Amino acid sequence: MARKRKLARGVAVVGGGLTKLGLFKDRNCKDFFAEAYGEMIGSVDKGVDPKDIDAVYVGNFTNDFFVNQSHWAPIIADLLGQVPKPVTRTEGACASSALAFREGVLAIASGMYDMVLVGGFEQMSKCTTEEVAEGLAMAASPYEVATGFTFPAVFGAMATAYFAKYGATREALFNVTIKSHNNAPLNPKAQFPMTVRDFMNARIEKCRKKGEPVPDWKDEKDFLRDPAANPPVAWPMHLFDCCPISDGASCLLLVAEDLARNFTDTPVYLAGMGQGSGYSLHAKKDLTTYEATRAAAKEAYEMSGLTPRDVQFSEVHDCFSIAEIVHLEDLGFVKPGEGHKAVAEGMTRLDGPKPINTSGGLKSKGHPVGATGIAQLYEVWMQLRGKAGKRQVPNPNLRVGAAHNLGGTGGTCTFTILERR
Amino acid sequence: MARKRKLARGVAVVGGGLTKLGLFKDRNCKDFFAEAYGEMIGSVDKGVDPKDIDAVYVGNFTNDFFVNQSHWAPIIADLLGQVPKPVTRTEGACASSALAFREGVLAIASGMYDMVLVGGFEQMSKCTTEEVAEGLAMAASPYEVATGFTFPAVFGAMATAYFAKYGATREALFNVTIKSHNNAPLNPKAQFPMTVRDFMNARIEKCRKKGEPVPDWKDEKDFLRDPAANPPVAWPMHLFDCCPISDGASCLLLVAEDLARNFTDTPVYLAGMGQGSGYSLHAKKDLTTYEATRAAAKEAYEMSGLTPRDVQFSEVHDCFSIAEIVHLEDLGFVKPGEGHKAVAEGMTRLDGPKPINTSGGLKSKGHPVGATGIAQLYEVWMQLRGKAGKRQVPNPNLRVGAAHNLGGTGGTCTFTILERR
């Protein structure tokens, strides 16, 4: 049977919202969603009447576990004054809200609806760190968990395999971390709006204040090499290779392409989207590639008619620094084995030829798992509208951007390409 | 903005599978899904190559809680040999797999895919009864749970309100239970393939064997009136008003309408589908109606161009006996306040003018929450193909059937109308 990847009807993004990310133990994740929704309503240039929203899709990983409440759809419907409209939750671990975006697109493309709100949220701060680790383990494969592989360990194994195959070292990981953290202070929503140098200087200041010996770090890399500053988690993954635990919510407003200019003069259109599933560590033939990312990328490129070269910038799922390097390859931005070189050469910097994670990435912006997929797409939407402020990609002809989202240890991946026309 | 409810492309069901429902503590819910999938593959009259499946949607309520594993999409993909194709989980409490069906339909209708597998599964038997109650409480509203309302209590409050408003009594509930249990022995997949009379006779036999006094129940209703046989759970909900805890899995194979006859000469087409969200108990204006069901029904009828009269039979979500009565009204099968009379008069019997829950319903067939929505649609599909065996609706002109699925205490409801042409 011939595969079709052509939508019957185009879809555009005309509004978006994202909370500041961080740890907000005293708030309720409903509040986060209301905050993101409020920003979204205000962001629609020509205004929108919430009564015109036909349906809602929300991504959430495991609030069942994190806050002891499942079945968020009616809670969100009530919160937004949208009862009795349809609200659907999607779950794909850390890719949960990218799936909500995708289902929102399909709902409009099918002709069923004209306007769909898509969003995501997660509250991870109400648990202890041990409980969060237990919750996240449920996103990994049961085979991985049963054999003692935590998340950092799975990505550590991939990094080790990558190093062995391509001759890279931890220095390659430092480049990813330093680059992403350079973008974070430019993003007012970031959980850690600090460069690695800021962390280093803060540590030096602390030593001075306490009257302790001041380390003689020459530069950021020297700081990251020091296990006292950057302790190992699961070798070669160290503290600065791992994204944080976060709270937050995100949303986007989708409308049928033909209606987009009723809401804004700068709509951002869906060009292509793809989704793939992947094997657990024990069944993977090659630890240096994600088959789910490759499948998602293939689907998205085919639908859009675009190539990796056409994608001018991208958010790439960097739950661990090694993931960003491998995904650069799987998304076709560089050839296999060349991801670490491209990062070292500055390709992915904000002022480089293909900026990656202009938001600061999961590492420094934060990773409230259920909110992340749409938080990434929010960044792409902001950039394409030229609204990204100090972190705006310095390219006056910005037309095509993308977001790559990964769930679990690579079990679910999505790739979504947006464009201005 | 004008609401559109017309799909760009029709969708047909060409295969289905359902496990026997029950408590199977020693099995893994992966096994259930594999079993349902196997039956589905064998059910496609002209055969199907699993390689042609483009995508999978699975509904699951809270395996995070019940079996300590979330992110089932890649596990299912691997199980079915479908890596790296897209697999997406939907969650809407007890309506989780009706949402999977719906997203599968939209994926095909949008033009994205030609063939989609949709399914659902849940394993509830690995927990204690107390843990299941705790898990299910996460499907209710936090306001309900915080004030001490368990599931039977919420539906008990609705029954009390219904009795007060319409002058019905527990006798009306007995009629629902007796009717559904009459269908169960005709369904080889049912968890309790016993009529209420069978339960009564079994109890009498047990007394005889133990040498205890034999109760002098005159008939099934007399049996149900006896609190020794049918103890209260949350008045007026008694044991025989409440569906059981179950394990199981279900699936259906969907294809684009224009491809349906490549797979079978008796395709069953989607005529209409709707979904709604509802208020929590504290915010409801009227406890004798479900706004989510009404919204779902309106959407489905409008899409199909059909009326309640056109629906010849239906599965209706009977997690508690009162729910079936109220839904008969909300779905427009009878007027408000007349549901209890219609059941008493035999309208809903297998040989009545509008058979309801020919499968035995959740009460006697079983209710593995994540599997239920598609298990209901499986029954409608079987009936419309004339394959329902001893429980086949005795109408040679069966053309239109429907399934109504409810999540939580009414927070998410769906209504789906299928038809032969």
Side-chain angles (χ1 to χ4, degrees):
Chain A
M1 193 184 303
R3 307 294 181 196
K4 285 176 190 158
R5 298 289 186 267
K6 176 93 181 107
L7 298 182
R9 194 184 191 203
V11 176
V13 183
V14 298
L18 174 67
T19 60
K20 176 157 175 64
L21 306 187
L23 296 173
F24 308 104
K25 199 171 175 167
D26 296 335
R27 298 183 69 197
N28 181 297
C29 50
K30 258 174 55 179
D31 305 337
F32 303 138
F33 200 79
E35 182 183 326
Y37 177 76
E39 183 193 334
M40 182 285 286
I41 291 289
S43 77
V44 181
D45 298 330
K46 301 183 186 176
V48 61
D49 185 341
K51 282 204 288 290
D52 288 333
I53 294 172
D54 293 315
V56 181
Y57 287 87
V58 287
N60 176 261
F61 167 43
T62 184
N63 267 3
D64 323 27
F65 184 90
F66 288 151
V67 300
N68 206 30
Q69 176 67 47
S70 191
H71 197 205
W72 277 85
I75 300 172
I76 296 293
D78 190 17
L79 175 75
L80 305 182
Q82 295 288 350
V83 173
K85 293 178 192 171
V87 183
T88 302
R89 174 193 166 202
T90 55
E91 185 268 322
C94 316
S96 293
S97 62
L99 304 186
F101 176 88
R102 188 174 153 92
E103 297 312 310
V105 166
L106 295 176
I108 291 173
S110 70
M112 187 80 179
Y113 299 121
D114 291 329
M115 182 187 290
V116 176
L117 174 71
V118 298
F121 58 97
E122 202 87 46
Q123 182 157 32
M124 306 172 76
S125 63
K126 294 215 190 250
C127 295
T128 63
T129 306
E130 291 70 25
E131 285 169 340
V132 170
E134 193 187 334
L136 291 176
M138 296 195 296
S141 150
Y143 306 114
E144 288 161 352
V145 173
T147 50
F149 272 94
T150 58
F151 262 74
V154 171
F155 287 87
M158 295 194 74
T160 306
Y162 186 91
F163 290 178
K165 186 167 180 182
Y166 297 121
T169 66
R170 281 186 64 215
E171 303 289 312
L173 307 180
F174 299 162
N175 291 326
V176 174
T177 300
I178 292 168
K179 178 271 302 170
S180 289
H181 266 293
N182 280 344
N183 298 340
L186 312 177
N187 184 354
K189 305 290 179 70
Q191 182 167 356
F192 297 119
M194 295 166 75
T195 64
V196 175
R197 189 167 285 271
D198 290 337
F199 279 100
M200 184 177 91
N201 290 339
R203 183 79 177 235
I204 289 171
E205 188 59 28
K206 198 173 163 189
C207 290
R208 278 207 185 104
K209 276 193 181 161
K210 285 190 170 181
E212 290 172 1
V214 173
D216 61 340
W217 297 311
K218 286 191 298 291
D219 57 16
E220 298 106 308
K221 286 198 181 180
D222 214 29
F223 171 76
L224 292 174
R225 272 180 216 115
D226 184 346
N230 186 19
V233 177
W235 201 91
M237 294 294 102
H238 288 55
L239 184 62
F240 275 81
D241 294 301
C242 310
C243 70
I245 290 165
S246 317
D247 298 331
S250 55
C251 65
L252 291 173
L253 187 66
L254 309 182
V255 300
E257 188 176 283
D258 46 302
L259 302 171
R261 289 193 181 267
N262 297 342
F263 300 95
T264 177
D265 291 328
T266 55
V268 169
Y269 298 94
L270 176 80
M273 62 179 193
Q275 181 183 338
S277 58
Y279 289 112
S280 163
L281 201 61
H282 76 287
K284 281 175 86 76
K285 291 193 191 77
D286 183 347
L287 293 189
T288 66
T289 179
Y290 293 93
E291 57 280 343
T293 296
R294 286 174 174 261
K298 183 169 186 285
E299 196 172 54
Y301 289 131
E302 281 177 4
M303 183 195 283
S304 65
L306 298 170
T307 69
R309 185 183 296 264
D310 298 318
V311 176
Q312 295 168 300
F313 67 100
S314 186
E315 293 288 295
V316 170
H317 197 93
D318 60 321
C319 47
F320 296 90
S321 53
I322 183 65
E324 182 170 321
I325 291 175
V326 173
H327 288 133
L328 291 179
E329 302 173 9
D330 286 331
L331 294 170
F333 295 155
V334 296
K335 288 182 188 155
E338 300 198 346
H340 66 289
K341 295 178 202 161
V343 178
E345 289 160 7
M347 180 187 88
T348 60
R349 285 168 33 171
L350 185 56
D351 60 356
K354 197 177 303 266
I356 299 294
N357 288 330
T358 56
S359 67
L362 278 50
K363 170 67 188 83
S364 36
K365 182 189 62 179
H367 182 26
V369 288
T372 283
I374 287 180
Q376 294 175 315
L377 288 160
Y378 168 89
E379 176 71 10
V380 177
W381 173 72
M382 291 285 274
Q383 289 283 355
L384 288 175
R385 296 199 347 138
K387 303 273 193 185
K390 291 180 185 168
R391 68 188 188 285
Q392 182 67 43
V393 174
N395 176 345
N397 298 312
L398 216 55
R399 282 279 172 269
V400 178
H404 163 268
N405 193 195
L406 170 146
T409 53
T412 300
C413 291
T414 64
F415 189 55
T416 310
I417 309 173
L418 302 180
E419 67 179 338
R420 283 285 301 280
R421 284 183 201 150
Chain B
M1 193 183 300
R3 308 292 181 197
K4 284 177 193 159
R5 299 288 185 268
K6 176 93 181 108
L7 297 181
R9 194 183 190 205
V11 175
V13 182
V14 298
L18 174 67
T19 60
K20 177 158 173 62
L21 306 187
L23 296 172
F24 309 104
K25 198 170 177 169
D26 296 335
R27 299 183 68 197
N28 181 299
C29 51
K30 260 174 54 179
D31 305 336
F32 302 138
F33 200 79
E35 182 183 325
Y37 177 75
E39 183 192 333
M40 181 285 287
I41 291 290
S43 77
V44 181
D45 299 331
K46 301 182 186 178
V48 61
D49 185 343
K51 283 204 287 291
D52 288 332
I53 294 172
D54 293 315
V56 182
Y57 287 87
V58 287
N60 176 260
F61 168 43
T62 185
N63 266 2
D64 323 26
F65 184 89
F66 289 151
V67 301
N68 207 28
Q69 175 67 46
S70 191
H71 198 203
W72 278 86
I75 301 171
I76 296 293
D78 191 17
L79 175 76
L80 305 182
Q82 295 288 350
V83 174
K85 294 179 192 170
V87 183
T88 302
R89 172 192 167 204
T90 55
E91 183 267 322
C94 317
S96 293
S97 62
L99 304 186
F101 176 89
R102 189 174 153 92
E103 298 312 310
V105 166
L106 295 177
I108 292 174
S110 70
M112 187 82 178
Y113 299 121
D114 291 328
M115 183 187 289
V116 175
L117 174 71
V118 298
F121 58 97
E122 202 86 48
Q123 182 158 32
M124 306 174 76
S125 64
K126 294 217 190 248
C127 294
T128 63
T129 306
E130 290 71 23
E131 285 169 341
V132 170
E134 192 187 336
L136 290 176
M138 297 195 297
S141 149
Y143 307 114
E144 289 160 351
V145 173
T147 50
F149 271 94
T150 59
F151 262 74
V154 171
F155 287 88
M158 296 195 73
T160 306
Y162 186 90
F163 290 178
K165 186 168 179 181
Y166 296 120
T169 67
R170 282 186 63 216
E171 302 291 311
L173 308 180
F174 298 162
N175 291 326
V176 174
T177 299
I178 292 168
K179 178 272 303 171
S180 290
H181 267 293
N182 280 345
N183 298 339
L186 312 176
N187 184 354
K189 306 290 179 70
Q191 183 166 355
F192 297 119
M194 295 166 74
T195 64
V196 175
R197 189 167 285 271
D198 290 337
F199 279 100
M200 184 177 92
N201 290 338
R203 183 79 177 238
I204 289 170
E205 188 59 27
K206 199 172 162 190
C207 290
R208 278 206 187 103
K209 276 193 182 162
K210 286 189 170 183
E212 291 171 1
V214 174
D216 61 340
W217 298 311
K218 287 190 298 290
D219 58 15
E220 298 107 307
K221 286 198 180 179
D222 213 29
F223 170 76
L224 292 174
R225 271 179 217 116
D226 185 348
N230 186 18
V233 177
W235 201 90
M237 294 295 104
H238 287 56
L239 184 62
F240 275 81
D241 294 301
C242 310
C243 70
I245 291 166
S246 316
D247 297 333
S250 54
C251 65
L252 290 173
L253 187 65
L254 309 182
V255 300
E257 187 176 283
D258 47 302
L259 303 170
R261 289 191 180 268
N262 297 343
F263 300 96
T264 177
D265 292 327
T266 56
V268 170
Y269 298 94
L270 176 79
M273 63 178 192
Q275 181 184 336
S277 57
Y279 289 112
S280 164
L281 201 60
H282 77 288
K284 281 175 87 75
K285 290 192 191 79
D286 183 346
L287 293 189
T288 66
T289 180
Y290 293 93
E291 57 279 344
T293 296
R294 286 175 175 261
K298 183 169 185 286
E299 195 171 56
Y301 289 131
E302 282 177 4
M303 184 195 282
S304 66
L306 297 170
T307 68
R309 185 182 297 264
D310 297 318
V311 176
Q312 296 167 300
F313 68 100
S314 186
E315 293 287 295
V316 169
H317 197 92
D318 61 320
C319 46
F320 296 89
S321 53
I322 183 65
E324 182 170 322
I325 291 175
V326 172
H327 288 133
L328 291 180
E329 302 174 9
D330 286 332
L331 294 170
F333 294 156
V334 295
K335 289 182 185 154
E338 299 196 348
H340 67 289
K341 295 178 200 161
V343 178
E345 288 160 6
M347 180 188 89
T348 60
R349 284 168 36 173
L350 186 55
D351 60 356
K354 196 176 303 264
I356 300 294
N357 288 329
T358 55
S359 67
L362 278 51
K363 170 66 190 82
S364 36
K365 182 189 64 178
H367 182 27
V369 289
T372 284
I374 287 179
Q376 294 175 315
L377 288 161
Y378 169 88
E379 175 71 10
V380 177
W381 173 72
M382 292 284 275
Q383 289 282 357
L384 287 174
R385 298 200 345 139
K387 302 274 194 187
K390 291 181 186 166
R391 69 188 187 285
Q392 182 68 42
V393 174
N395 176 347
N397 298 312
L398 216 54
R399 281 279 172 268
V400 178
H404 163 267
N405 193 195
L406 170 146
T409 53
T412 300
C413 292
T414 65
F415 188 56
T416 310
I417 308 173
L418 302 180
E419 66 180 339
R420 284 284 301 282
R421 285 182 201 152

